[in-house]
Amino acid sequence: MKLLLLAIGRLKAGPERELVARYADRCVAGGRKIGFTGFEMREIDESRARRPEDRKAEEAAALAASLPQGARKICLDERGRTMTSEEFSRKLGEWRDAGAPACALVIGGPDGLDPAFRDKADLTLAFGAMTWPHQIVRALAAEQLFRALTILSGHPYHRV
């Protein structure tokens, strides 16, 4: 199963982009042995529509077009549920074992995700009740994907 990180907006060069790239490389290296075929970050341009509802709808259409056929979709949203890293890794493992070709973590733009797009997610996930900058959310998402892979592989990275 391929892992994707889909995000509205471009991440500028700097420590956040480097951190995401580091975790992406780790996901590729560690995931091969346990049935994960790669990691890709896709950045979608922010909509320039005037109204927030129109921006979210345009961004949702672009995000949907970027999803591989049959991919599981995880929307990151403040209204989502919180999970432990172990629960998250089990969910990824279940989808991998069920033959899902890909799993995409989706990060919306400044206005958030279109409700209709979000409602079609396989999982809506929150990284807590606080609001986080998008560049940090990307790093958190990439790290949690790597952590999930280490849990699934029995690697000691995740200690409780």
Side-chain angles (χ1 to χ4, degrees), residues 117-135:
F117 180 85
R118 185 185 63 233
D119 291 346
K120 293 178 185 169
D122 295 285
L123 173 65
T124 303
L125 184 64
F127 287 153
M130 293 180 168
T131 302
W132 297 95
H134 284 77
Q135 65 270 27

PDB file of all heavy atoms in Angstrom, residues 117-135:
ATOM      1  N   PHE A 117     -16.511  16.650   1.116  1.00  0.00           N
ATOM      2  CA  PHE A 117     -15.292  15.869   0.908  1.00  0.00           C
ATOM      3  C   PHE A 117     -14.912  15.153   2.197  1.00  0.00           C
ATOM      4  O   PHE A 117     -14.625  13.958   2.210  1.00  0.00           O
ATOM      5  CB  PHE A 117     -14.170  16.801   0.445  1.00  0.00           C
ATOM      6  CG  PHE A 117     -12.853  16.113   0.201  1.00  0.00           C
ATOM      7  CD1 PHE A 117     -12.581  15.519  -1.017  1.00  0.00           C
ATOM      8  CD2 PHE A 117     -11.877  16.076   1.189  1.00  0.00           C
ATOM      9  CE1 PHE A 117     -11.364  14.890  -1.255  1.00  0.00           C
ATOM     10  CE2 PHE A 117     -10.662  15.454   0.965  1.00  0.00           C
ATOM     11  CZ  PHE A 117     -10.410  14.868  -0.260  1.00  0.00           C
ATOM     12  N   ARG A 118     -14.935  15.894   3.293  1.00  0.00           N
ATOM     13  CA  ARG A 118     -14.569  15.335   4.596  1.00  0.00           C
ATOM     14  C   ARG A 118     -15.514  14.204   5.004  1.00  0.00           C
ATOM     15  O   ARG A 118     -15.087  13.188   5.546  1.00  0.00           O
ATOM     16  CB  ARG A 118     -14.585  16.453   5.644  1.00  0.00           C
ATOM     17  CG  ARG A 118     -14.099  16.027   7.020  1.00  0.00           C
ATOM     18  CD  ARG A 118     -14.238  17.126   8.046  1.00  0.00           C
ATOM     19  NE  ARG A 118     -15.632  17.464   8.237  1.00  0.00           N
ATOM     20  CZ  ARG A 118     -16.128  18.694   8.148  1.00  0.00           C
ATOM     21  NH1 ARG A 118     -15.359  19.713   7.884  1.00  0.00           N
ATOM     22  NH2 ARG A 118     -17.409  18.906   8.334  1.00  0.00           N
ATOM     23  N   ASP A 119     -16.789  14.368   4.710  1.00  0.00           N
ATOM     24  CA  ASP A 119     -17.773  13.360   5.110  1.00  0.00           C
ATOM     25  C   ASP A 119     -17.592  12.030   4.378  1.00  0.00           C
ATOM     26  O   ASP A 119     -18.104  11.007   4.832  1.00  0.00           O
ATOM     27  CB  ASP A 119     -19.198  13.884   4.902  1.00  0.00           C
ATOM     28  CG  ASP A 119     -19.549  15.002   5.876  1.00  0.00           C
ATOM     29  OD1 ASP A 119     -18.809  15.184   6.872  1.00  0.00           O
ATOM     30  OD2 ASP A 119     -20.544  15.700   5.623  1.00  0.00           O
ATOM     31  N   LYS A 120     -16.882  12.036   3.267  1.00  0.00           N
ATOM     32  CA  LYS A 120     -16.635  10.802   2.505  1.00  0.00           C
ATOM     33  C   LYS A 120     -15.323  10.119   2.912  1.00  0.00           C
ATOM     34  O   LYS A 120     -14.933   9.133   2.315  1.00  0.00           O
ATOM     35  CB  LYS A 120     -16.607  11.101   1.011  1.00  0.00           C
ATOM     36  CG  LYS A 120     -17.956  11.527   0.462  1.00  0.00           C
ATOM     37  CD  LYS A 120     -17.859  11.850  -1.006  1.00  0.00           C
ATOM     38  CE  LYS A 120     -19.180  12.388  -1.522  1.00  0.00           C
ATOM     39  NZ  LYS A 120     -19.059  12.940  -2.870  1.00  0.00           N
ATOM     40  N   ALA A 121     -14.679  10.643   3.937  1.00  0.00           N
ATOM     41  CA  ALA A 121     -13.402  10.073   4.390  1.00  0.00           C
ATOM     42  C   ALA A 121     -13.626   8.724   5.063  1.00  0.00           C
ATOM     43  O   ALA A 121     -14.656   8.482   5.688  1.00  0.00           O
ATOM     44  CB  ALA A 121     -12.721  11.033   5.361  1.00  0.00           C
ATOM     45  N   ASP A 122     -12.626   7.867   4.946  1.00  0.00           N
ATOM     46  CA  ASP A 122     -12.637   6.601   5.668  1.00  0.00           C
ATOM     47  C   ASP A 122     -12.381   6.838   7.154  1.00  0.00           C
ATOM     48  O   ASP A 122     -12.786   6.036   7.990  1.00  0.00           O
ATOM     49  CB  ASP A 122     -11.577   5.654   5.095  1.00  0.00           C
ATOM     50  CG  ASP A 122     -11.889   5.264   3.668  1.00  0.00           C
ATOM     51  OD1 ASP A 122     -12.803   4.439   3.471  1.00  0.00           O
ATOM     52  OD2 ASP A 122     -11.246   5.811   2.744  1.00  0.00           O
ATOM     53  N   LEU A 123     -11.681   7.921   7.448  1.00  0.00           N
ATOM     54  CA  LEU A 123     -11.360   8.285   8.818  1.00  0.00           C
ATOM     55  C   LEU A 123     -11.142   9.793   8.864  1.00  0.00           C
ATOM     56  O   LEU A 123     -10.473  10.346   7.988  1.00  0.00           O
ATOM     57  CB  LEU A 123     -10.084   7.557   9.273  1.00  0.00           C
ATOM     58  CG  LEU A 123      -9.489   7.923  10.630  1.00  0.00           C
ATOM     59  CD1 LEU A 123     -10.434   7.545  11.762  1.00  0.00           C
ATOM     60  CD2 LEU A 123      -8.139   7.223  10.804  1.00  0.00           C
ATOM     61  N   THR A 124     -11.731  10.447   9.853  1.00  0.00           N
ATOM     62  CA  THR A 124     -11.450  11.862  10.095  1.00  0.00           C
ATOM     63  C   THR A 124     -10.705  11.914  11.424  1.00  0.00           C
ATOM     64  O   THR A 124     -11.201  11.448  12.444  1.00  0.00           O
ATOM     65  CB  THR A 124     -12.739  12.697  10.141  1.00  0.00           C
ATOM     66  OG1 THR A 124     -13.437  12.514   8.911  1.00  0.00           O
ATOM     67  CG2 THR A 124     -12.424  14.170  10.305  1.00  0.00           C
ATOM     68  N   LEU A 125      -9.509  12.469  11.367  1.00  0.00           N
ATOM     69  CA  LEU A 125      -8.567  12.394  12.466  1.00  0.00           C
ATOM     70  C   LEU A 125      -8.171  13.793  12.916  1.00  0.00           C
ATOM     71  O   LEU A 125      -8.001  14.690  12.087  1.00  0.00           O
ATOM     72  CB  LEU A 125      -7.331  11.625  11.980  1.00  0.00           C
ATOM     73  CG  LEU A 125      -6.221  11.304  12.945  1.00  0.00           C
ATOM     74  CD1 LEU A 125      -6.715  10.367  14.040  1.00  0.00           C
ATOM     75  CD2 LEU A 125      -5.064  10.655  12.186  1.00  0.00           C
ATOM     76  N   ALA A 126      -8.028  13.976  14.225  1.00  0.00           N
ATOM     77  CA  ALA A 126      -7.561  15.246  14.790  1.00  0.00           C
ATOM     78  C   ALA A 126      -6.275  14.988  15.569  1.00  0.00           C
ATOM     79  O   ALA A 126      -6.152  13.978  16.257  1.00  0.00           O
ATOM     80  CB  ALA A 126      -8.614  15.844  15.710  1.00  0.00           C
ATOM     81  N   PHE A 127      -5.343  15.894  15.461  1.00  0.00           N
ATOM     82  CA  PHE A 127      -4.129  15.853  16.279  1.00  0.00           C
ATOM     83  C   PHE A 127      -4.366  16.690  17.532  1.00  0.00           C
ATOM     84  O   PHE A 127      -3.608  17.581  17.857  1.00  0.00           O
ATOM     85  CB  PHE A 127      -2.919  16.383  15.512  1.00  0.00           C
ATOM     86  CG  PHE A 127      -2.407  15.462  14.439  1.00  0.00           C
ATOM     87  CD1 PHE A 127      -1.740  15.974  13.337  1.00  0.00           C
ATOM     88  CD2 PHE A 127      -2.554  14.094  14.517  1.00  0.00           C
ATOM     89  CE1 PHE A 127      -1.244  15.138  12.360  1.00  0.00           C
ATOM     90  CE2 PHE A 127      -2.072  13.243  13.540  1.00  0.00           C
ATOM     91  CZ  PHE A 127      -1.417  13.775  12.453  1.00  0.00           C
ATOM     92  N   GLY A 128      -5.457  16.447  18.212  1.00  0.00           N
ATOM     93  CA  GLY A 128      -5.804  17.171  19.420  1.00  0.00           C
ATOM     94  C   GLY A 128      -6.752  18.316  19.130  1.00  0.00           C
ATOM     95  O   GLY A 128      -7.130  18.564  17.992  1.00  0.00           O
ATOM     96  N   ALA A 129      -7.141  19.020  20.179  1.00  0.00           N
ATOM     97  CA  ALA A 129      -8.128  20.088  20.062  1.00  0.00           C
ATOM     98  C   ALA A 129      -7.517  21.423  19.642  1.00  0.00           C
ATOM     99  O   ALA A 129      -8.235  22.333  19.254  1.00  0.00           O
ATOM    100  CB  ALA A 129      -8.845  20.261  21.399  1.00  0.00           C
ATOM    101  N   MET A 130      -6.216  21.534  19.699  1.00  0.00           N
ATOM    102  CA  MET A 130      -5.567  22.800  19.345  1.00  0.00           C
ATOM    103  C   MET A 130      -5.475  22.970  17.828  1.00  0.00           C
ATOM    104  O   MET A 130      -5.520  22.007  17.078  1.00  0.00           O
ATOM    105  CB  MET A 130      -4.156  22.852  19.921  1.00  0.00           C
ATOM    106  CG  MET A 130      -4.115  22.906  21.413  1.00  0.00           C
ATOM    107  SD  MET A 130      -2.396  22.973  21.939  1.00  0.00           S
ATOM    108  CE  MET A 130      -2.614  23.391  23.630  1.00  0.00           C
ATOM    109  N   THR A 131      -5.332  24.200  17.402  1.00  0.00           N
ATOM    110  CA  THR A 131      -5.101  24.506  15.998  1.00  0.00           C
ATOM    111  C   THR A 131      -3.597  24.541  15.768  1.00  0.00           C
ATOM    112  O   THR A 131      -2.857  25.154  16.547  1.00  0.00           O
ATOM    113  CB  THR A 131      -5.724  25.872  15.636  1.00  0.00           C
ATOM    114  OG1 THR A 131      -7.119  25.819  15.920  1.00  0.00           O
ATOM    115  CG2 THR A 131      -5.497  26.212  14.185  1.00  0.00           C
ATOM    116  N   TRP A 132      -3.160  23.864  14.713  1.00  0.00           N
ATOM    117  CA  TRP A 132      -1.732  23.775  14.400  1.00  0.00           C
ATOM    118  C   TRP A 132      -1.445  24.412  13.050  1.00  0.00           C
ATOM    119  O   TRP A 132      -2.255  24.308  12.135  1.00  0.00           O
ATOM    120  CB  TRP A 132      -1.301  22.307  14.337  1.00  0.00           C
ATOM    121  CG  TRP A 132      -1.456  21.588  15.628  1.00  0.00           C
ATOM    122  CD1 TRP A 132      -2.509  20.820  16.022  1.00  0.00           C
ATOM    123  CD2 TRP A 132      -0.531  21.569  16.709  1.00  0.00           C
ATOM    124  NE1 TRP A 132      -2.302  20.323  17.278  1.00  0.00           N
ATOM    125  CE2 TRP A 132      -1.087  20.768  17.723  1.00  0.00           C
ATOM    126  CE3 TRP A 132       0.718  22.156  16.924  1.00  0.00           C
ATOM    127  CZ2 TRP A 132      -0.433  20.536  18.931  1.00  0.00           C
ATOM    128  CZ3 TRP A 132       1.354  21.921  18.117  1.00  0.00           C
ATOM    129  CH2 TRP A 132       0.792  21.120  19.113  1.00  0.00           C
ATOM    130  N   PRO A 133      -0.278  25.037  12.884  1.00  0.00           N
ATOM    131  CA  PRO A 133       0.108  25.557  11.567  1.00  0.00           C
ATOM    132  C   PRO A 133       0.236  24.401  10.573  1.00  0.00           C
ATOM    133  O   PRO A 133       0.673  23.305  10.928  1.00  0.00           O
ATOM    134  CB  PRO A 133       1.477  26.207  11.809  1.00  0.00           C
ATOM    135  CG  PRO A 133       1.583  26.392  13.282  1.00  0.00           C
ATOM    136  CD  PRO A 133       0.736  25.332  13.910  1.00  0.00           C
ATOM    137  N   HIS A 134      -0.150  24.662   9.333  1.00  0.00           N
ATOM    138  CA  HIS A 134      -0.149  23.608   8.321  1.00  0.00           C
ATOM    139  C   HIS A 134       1.223  22.962   8.134  1.00  0.00           C
ATOM    140  O   HIS A 134       1.316  21.755   7.935  1.00  0.00           O
ATOM    141  CB  HIS A 134      -0.671  24.155   6.990  1.00  0.00           C
ATOM    142  CG  HIS A 134      -2.152  24.319   6.979  1.00  0.00           C
ATOM    143  ND1 HIS A 134      -2.789  25.360   7.613  1.00  0.00           N
ATOM    144  CD2 HIS A 134      -3.119  23.555   6.448  1.00  0.00           C
ATOM    145  CE1 HIS A 134      -4.092  25.231   7.449  1.00  0.00           C
ATOM    146  NE2 HIS A 134      -4.329  24.156   6.750  1.00  0.00           N
ATOM    147  N   GLN A 135       2.282  23.749   8.194  1.00  0.00           N
ATOM    148  CA  GLN A 135       3.613  23.175   7.977  1.00  0.00           C
ATOM    149  C   GLN A 135       3.984  22.212   9.105  1.00  0.00           C
ATOM    150  O   GLN A 135       4.640  21.195   8.878  1.00  0.00           O
ATOM    151  CB  GLN A 135       4.681  24.251   7.771  1.00  0.00           C
ATOM    152  CG  GLN A 135       4.946  25.153   8.953  1.00  0.00           C
ATOM    153  CD  GLN A 135       4.085  26.390   8.966  1.00  0.00           C
ATOM    154  OE1 GLN A 135       2.986  26.403   8.437  1.00  0.00           O
ATOM    155  NE2 GLN A 135       4.586  27.448   9.590  1.00  0.00           N
TER     156      GLN A 135
END
